[in-house]
């Protein structure tokens, strides 16, 4: 595994212990209990002991496409948005983030309204959880599925995924590319945001090109603002040490060694990460979504990441 000896495994260890917290409670074809028990004997500050632990107790398997046998696939990035906002509508904060509609809890309409229909009908009035400034940032938060809102009194409101309108996801970037509004190199989160600033009157048209709409729920106030959002494994994600994978190809919670490059560069990114999340766009064996963390710096990296990469899954011997 290229770069295995150079990785600072002390940085991966807390993420692996979080995986173990969940794996001990789950029934699985893989026997995680023994390796997780052994993990309690390892000093979290001893990088060499951690390396020996993984080498002694795990076997690494190169991940390949089941249909083609190809060992290289796509690595994208995601992040947890952090933006300023308010619990009430103000002149500065006028873009709502919505809770799952109460009227849908017993019976969701079929088909459910598209984003455009929801926005024009007023059906979501009264379901506002918070208000933010930028409609494009709010739409990207829907794509990420969670986020933090910094309120004016200093509190941090954490919002998590609560459901969707069951409409298919369609890419804003593709809508803009089809209309030759942006170039392929501008088809990033940053490029789309810049287009929106230049074309404020057309932002709604762009956002309505994606019929899918995501609803949020407030997460408990006792969750540390420093922790990442909970992934599909049910544990907080760790910036630069968690990935989302296709559950049909890899076991949730498993250590995975990822060999790829940083966005828009040939600089190696070779790290032990944990498969702690999944997503509808993550399809295929050699396919990962790399969690960069929270905030603007993470957004910058995630929005530009579309790299080739290889993966090895580590399974107990």
């Amino acid at each position: 595994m290229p770069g295995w000896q150079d990785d600072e495994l002390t940085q991966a260890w807390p993420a692996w212990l979080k995986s173990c917290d969940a794996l001990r409670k789950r029934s699985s074809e893989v026997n995680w209990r023994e390796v997780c028990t052994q993990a309690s004997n390892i000093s979290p500050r001893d990088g060499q002991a951690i390396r020996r632990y993984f080498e002694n107790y795990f076997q690494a398997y190169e991940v390949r496409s089941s249909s083609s046998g190809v060992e290289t696939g796509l690595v994208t990035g995601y992040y947890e948005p952090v933006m300023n906002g308010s619990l009430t509508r103000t002149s500065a904060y006028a873009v709502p983030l919505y809770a799952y509609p109460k009227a849908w809890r017993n019976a969701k309409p079929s088909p459910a309204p598209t984003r455009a229909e929801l926005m024009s009908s007023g059906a979501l009035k009264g379901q506002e959880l918070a208000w933010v400034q930028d409609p494009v940032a709010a739409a990207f938060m829907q794509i990420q599925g969670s986020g933090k809102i910094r309120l004016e009194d200093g509190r941090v409101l954490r919002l998590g995924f609560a459901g969707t309108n069951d409409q298919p996801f369609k890419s804003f970037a593709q809508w803009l590319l089809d209309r030759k509004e942006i170039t392929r190199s501008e088809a990033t989160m940053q490029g789309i945001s810049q287009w929106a600033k230049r074309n404020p009157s057309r932002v709604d048209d762009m956002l309505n090109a994606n019929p899918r709409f995501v609803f949020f729920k407030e997460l408990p106030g006792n969750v540390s603002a420093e922790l990442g959002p909970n992934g599909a494994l049910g544990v907080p994600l760790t910036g630069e040490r968690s990935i989302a994978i296709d559950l049909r190809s890899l076991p949730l919670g498993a250590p995975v060694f990822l060999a790829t490059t940083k966005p828009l560069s040939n600089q190696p990114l070779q790290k032990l990460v944990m498969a702690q999340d999944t997503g509808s766009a993550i399809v295929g064996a050699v396919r990962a979504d790399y969690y960069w963390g929270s905030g603007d710096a993470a957004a910058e990296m995630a929005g530009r990441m579309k790299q080739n990469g290889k993966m090895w899954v580590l399974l107990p011997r």
Side-chain angles (χ1 to χ4, degrees), residues 14-15 18-19 158 223 227-231 233-239 242 276 291:
K18 289 190 185 91
S19 268
R158 298 205 64 161
V223 175
L227 288 175
N230 276 8
L233 185 63
V235 302
L237 302 178
T238 301
S242 297
Q276 294 174 331
Y291 177 66

Side-chain angles (χ1 to χ4, degrees), residues 6 9 39 45 56 58 77 81 87 97 111-112 128 154 185 207 249 257 283 286 296 298 315:
D6 301 321
L9 293 182
R45 294 177 295 280
N56 290 340
F58 291 81
L87 295 178
L97 299 169
E128 299 89 349
S185 66
L207 297 181
S249 300
F257 192 78
V283 178
V286 195
D296 293 344
L315 297 176

